[in-house]
Amino acid sequence: YKNSVKNAFVYFDKEKNGVLNYNQLRSIINEYGPKLSLNEADDLLKELGLQNNAKDFDYNDFISDI
């Protein structure tokens, strides 16, 4: 399960640095995720601790926590 999640993040990580920024995640959510409004997508990202490019999302940390 964790490998599948990591592979999905790696696919979108064009810089291969282990992180995705707010705009990248928002774009992924809006393009590939469930149909959310922009506000709903922003709320989801806030739950991950991200707010308007305040910091990058380290998906390796996220995967180790799930």
Side-chain angles (χ1 to χ4, degrees):
Y1 169 73
K2 287 185 179 187
N3 251 359
S4 296
V5 173
K6 182 173 183 172
N7 288 339
F9 283 120
V10 168
Y11 175 80
F12 292 106
D13 181 7
K14 301 303 180 198
E15 296 174 10
K16 304 299 181 212
N17 60 1
V19 298
L20 296 169
N21 67 38
Y22 183 90
N23 289 330
Q24 289 171 311
L25 284 171
R26 192 174 191 227
S27 176
I28 292 165
I29 290 168
N30 287 330
E31 191 167 336
Y32 299 100
K35 299 300 178 202
L36 301 176
S37 70
L38 293 178
N39 287 337
E40 290 170 325
D42 289 337
D43 289 343
L44 178 62
L45 292 172
K46 285 178 188 173
E47 288 182 33
L48 294 173
L50 301 172
Q51 295 185 28
N52 299 323
N53 283 330
K55 68 176 188 173
D56 289 334
F57 174 72
D58 184 325
Y59 56 82
N60 290 306
D61 287 345
F62 174 77
I63 292 166
S64 68
D65 290 343
I66 58 172

